[in-house]
Amino acid sequence: MLPRLSLLLLVISLFTRCKSDQLPTSWTVQSPGQKVTAHVFLNADGQAAYQILFGDKTVIDTSLLGFSFEGQLPLAGGLMVKSAENIAFSEPWETVWGEDRMVENNYHELALGLEEIAAPKRQFRVVFRIYDDGIGFRYEFPEQEGLSSVRISEENTEFKLTGDPITWWQPGDWDIYEHLYNTTRFSEIDAIAKRDHPNLAQSYIPNNAVNTPVTMKTDDGIYLSFHEAALYNYSGMTLLVDKDNLKWTSCLVGGPNKYKVIVQTPFTTPWRTIQIADKPGDLIESKLIVNLNEPNKIKNTDWIKPTKYVGIWWEMHLGMSSWDMAGAHHGATTENAKRYIDFAAANNIPAILVEGWNTGWEVWWGAARETCFDFVTPYADYDIEEVIRYGKEKGVALIAHHETASGVEQYEKQLDTAFQYLEKLGVHAVKTGYVGTIFPKGNYHHGQYMVNHYQHVVEVAAQHQVMVDAHEPIKDTGIRRTWPNFMAREGLRGQEFDAWSNDMNPPEHLVIVPFTRMLAGPIDYTPGIFDLKFDKYKDKNQVNTTLAKQLALYVTIYSPLQMAADLPENYAGHPALQFIRDVAVDWDESHVLNAEIGDYLTIVRKERGADRWFLGSITDENPRAFSIPIDFLPEGKTYEATIYADGPDAHWDKNPTSYTIENKPFKKGDTLELKLAPGGGTAIYFRPVE
Ligand code: NOJ
Ligand code: CA
């Protein structure tokens, strides 16, 4: 696709053009719509620094940039500016799938070439891209004499706050993002206190740092979210809390070595990102993270298809059946798979996930974890070819499952064979899993070794035309733009916690996640539980939402893969299943209609390529009433809406399954009145009246 305006090289015309040794040491760049301003400069010590303004408010005060290395002096002060380039870029691009069909990518870029004045005279560039919805910046190290292999012991990037904002944060765990979010002032963050993970022994939280995306609200009502984009061949970044100076400092995830990252010049770091908005919903609509990634590298994308799916899955989480065949009730039998396929076919659900289909599950939790799994040998009671044949006949595709138990070396050895097997079977989707600590030992899920592994899997999968849904993943950093077969990830406390955790997801979880984890990318949350109490199987556990809120999640949580997670029998007799039959998974446009972090969220989306609209509205433990102006529907047409609302007596704990279904016409200019129960929600399907 050609840039719409141009790739305008305004080489320094905005600034004074001077000889390189006389270049100014301070630069100012504004976003195309003048909302965001960056000052980038060398301080008195010759160290690179920046400040960010939103309108006329400073949101990031003087923050330093630099590195510490193993076996080399740190890269900090003593720099001079060797070059400066300014670029205005504007190019819309089309998504293969997503929240919106078209994305505007408009930014102003400043690239400063820096060099140490004294030996070792190392060179690098800092590149800032300024958007109306935030900024991204990264370091670029060119090939140069005396700097080839670089061992980074720490990246010292600062983000200096201008106050003590409310912060929605989770501890900076190096292994797992399956933590609840905390809401405190920045100065009250205590990640160490959260070190004891209630369910996952491998949790490793070395210091008072948080994982990203981490989102904040300043006392001026400005929303900031810190994250990264295009994380390749590098470690994930956590943010260290410096309470005395009210600033974040980057803290990379480590591994078995003294250094945290090893790279060869030339290399670039991931983009360090700050999304900035005056409305929380604008964070959700922001395209900063995907815009900072490279365009799609997969030429033929015909096989990449967003889908709803059912699964032999929840029954294992409830303890009704087992993953392994040794158990009395093996879930993944040919017969059971056919039962789910029949249900899916009858309900407009085009895919089925089958877990526990391959040998190894007897010992996956034990000492043999490292090597137990085999990705080409089904259990004797599971005829995979027959399941695929039967599914094909009924229009239901198989989603394969690769639980690695974090035996990463073992998985890599089998990777080609495993994906050739899927290709031979005609399977185009796999869910991967990385439960437990990583083998080889000393590595963490979010360190450089694993970042490279997850990426390798996605690229091998692409060669074999397979879509990936990763559980226990590295966080998303917008790679879906470049590798659109990387569909969704877990990377949060999904709904499965409600089945077995002694610390279930509270009602407010789902009104924090869209403003934190979801800013990274699509989420495989597994909504659609109708039997919310499941006392028959687990009397101490339950899902802490109403049934109508479960429906609304298909709209408020974005994913191109959406599960109808409950057991087929639990949908029986529920007219609300019709919403799951109807709801789309791919969109032309998405709009946040109202939002407050931790309180409520309403989103409307238009189905891709169809004149059908879906609205989801959810609340925390408080009931809410909203008057929503219908300004999203096109002019001059009447739409029939089917409204799935909480019953008048509904309550996430006391009466979660009370709901009403009502049909009503709407047109542009009307007002929609919504009433959400405590822990509740509303889901609406609008289609044009013929
Ligand atoms: C954890 C995953 O999140 C879950 O979805 C899966 O069923 C189990 N691991 C087993 O692989
Ligand atoms: Ca998990």
Side-chain angles (χ1 to χ4, degrees), residues 381-402:
D381 57 353
Y382 180 68
D383 182 344
I384 191 168
E385 285 175 24
E386 172 58 13
V387 168
I388 290 169
R389 187 204 61 75
Y390 188 78
K392 218 174 195 171
E393 194 180 292
K394 302 257 170 159
V396 179
L398 179 68
I399 300 178
H401 187 226
H402 290 171

Side-chain angles (χ1 to χ4, degrees), residues 307-310 343-344 346-351 495 526-531 547-555 562-568 570-572 574-585 587 607 614 642 644 659 661 683-685:
T307 188
K308 291 179 271 192
Y309 70 102
V310 295
F343 171 78
N347 292 293
N348 189 29
I349 300 176
Q495 194 139 270
T526 68
I529 299 301
F530 279 18
D531 179 16
L547 192 149
K549 183 170 174 177
Q550 287 291 310
L551 299 180
L553 295 180
Y554 288 91
V555 184
Q562 288 283 30
M563 190 172 200
D566 213 337
L567 313 172
N570 289 341
Y571 290 115
H574 265 301
L577 176 60
Q578 188 59 41
F579 184 80
I580 300 181
R581 288 189 194 114
D582 290 331
V583 70
V585 281
W587 311 100
E607 182 171 346
F614 294 86
T642 306
Y644 301 80
Y659 65 88
I661 304 179
I684 308 181
Y685 169 33

